[in-house]
Amino acid sequence: AQSVTQLGSHVSVSEGALVLLRCNYSSSVPPYLFWYVQYPNQGLQLLLKYTSAATLVKGINGFEAEFKKSETSFHLTKPSAHMSDAAEYFCAVGYSNYQLIWGAGTKLIIKP
Amino acid sequence: GAGVSQSPSNKVTEKGKDVELRCDPISGHTALYWYRQSLGQGLEFLIYFQGNSAPDKSGLPSDRFSAERTGGSVSTLTIQRTQQEDSAVYLCASSLEDWTSGGPQNTGELFFGEGSRLTVL
């Protein structure tokens, strides 16, 4: 069965430091890839998506992600963390139908 | 409002009682999903509605769970004879996408409500 793995249920970084949240998927078939963010007491919202155009995708709030087919990865990065980035981040993968496969989520903690 | 609306936001019930959770999607969105989010878990697919097509109920965990969508708009998720393991956040999402061509024609974006937190005592 296809799966999505997010390494680390919690990631802690200092304010101003690089943010790196990892996402790997199980299939070699190029999928559609999404990152969603869930702020406390809010619904999930789309951060960015990859749909077979440029492999480096830019999203909202300074986040970006790079699709690496050879590594089956779609890691999320941001050069400098802000306190407002504290949230839970979900990676999701879609193939040929509407049933997205979701990672377990990574809670990003920002230390002042 | 313009977003997906879910009610109630919080529901505490006793084991064995029935509960109904409501989702009001974005107007014009033909696709509607229900997911379950448990602590430390990813989103668990429950059911998918697309227009007038028969819903995909393959994710419903037991026959105690059912859902309907009236008039292609509002949806209700019903859990009968609730159990403690049903405690979770139930998320509703809507979308313009139908994926019938094998992929999203637009952004593929799902728009989520804030969820209904169910606690079964």
Side-chain angles (χ1 to χ4, degrees):
Chain A
Q2 292 155 347
S3 63
V4 175
T5 302
Q6 290 185 240
L7 189 62
S9 59
H10 293 76
V11 169
S12 180
V13 302
S14 297
E15 192 173 17
L18 171 73
V19 175
L20 170 61
L21 304 181
R22 299 177 187 273
C23 173
N24 287 87
Y25 58 93
S26 60
S27 172
S28 60
V29 175
Y32 303 96
L33 295 152
F34 305 86
W35 275 100
Y36 281 79
V37 59
Q38 186 177 30
Y39 296 104
N41 300 315
Q42 295 186 27
L44 282 76
Q45 63 184 84
L46 183 67
L47 195 57
L48 51 79
K49 62 173 174 62
Y50 166 78
T51 55
S52 77
T55 56
L56 183 62
V57 181
K58 294 188 183 298
I60 61 172
N61 301 334
F63 283 92
E64 61 182 36
E66 185 174 9
F67 170 60
K68 292 188 176 181
K69 181 179 176 182
S70 61
E71 298 177 7
T72 60
S73 70
F74 191 55
H75 301 331
L76 182 69
T77 60
K78 181 173 180 178
S80 176
H82 295 160
M83 295 300 292
S84 60
D85 294 327
E88 190 158 18
Y89 294 79
F90 292 89
C91 180
V93 176
Y95 291 94
S96 60
N97 69 47
Y98 50 82
Q99 281 213 28
L100 298 184
I101 302 165
W102 295 83
T106 297
K107 192 160 287 186
L108 178 62
I109 300 161
I110 311 295
K111 296 179 291 186
Chain B
V4 176
S5 177
Q6 289 189 246
S7 61
S9 54
N10 276 286
K11 176 71 175 180
V12 179
T13 190
E14 294 179 348
K15 178 181 173 181
K17 300 283 190 182
D18 297 352
V19 297
E20 282 191 355
L21 307 177
R22 175 188 167 103
C23 173
D24 201 341
I26 293 173
S27 177
H29 280 195
T30 55
L32 187 147
Y33 301 73
W34 281 99
Y35 287 97
R36 181 165 66 177
Q37 184 181 22
S38 301
L39 196 63
Q41 306 292 318
L43 275 65
E44 176 188 5
F45 168 80
L46 296 178
I47 190 168
Y48 170 78
F49 295 91
Q50 174 57 254
N52 295 321
S53 302
D56 177 355
K57 304 180 181 180
S58 61
L60 295 178
S62 77
D63 59 7
R64 296 186 295 104
F65 287 72
S66 63
E68 62 177 23
R69 188 178 185 191
T70 54
S73 181
V74 172
S75 178
T76 303
L77 177 69
T78 301
I79 308 172
Q80 296 179 310
R81 305 180 302 281
T82 52
Q83 303 295 312
Q84 289 183 331
E85 60 264 28
D86 299 334
S87 296
V89 176
Y90 290 82
L91 297 172
C92 175
S94 70
S95 173
L96 283 170
E97 295 289 353
D98 63 14
W99 292 75
T100 53
S101 60
Q105 293 301 297
N106 298 298
T107 68
E109 181 174 2
L110 301 185
F111 294 83
F112 284 83
E114 294 183 3
S116 292
R117 182 176 299 276
L118 174 64
T119 303
V120 182
L121 301 177

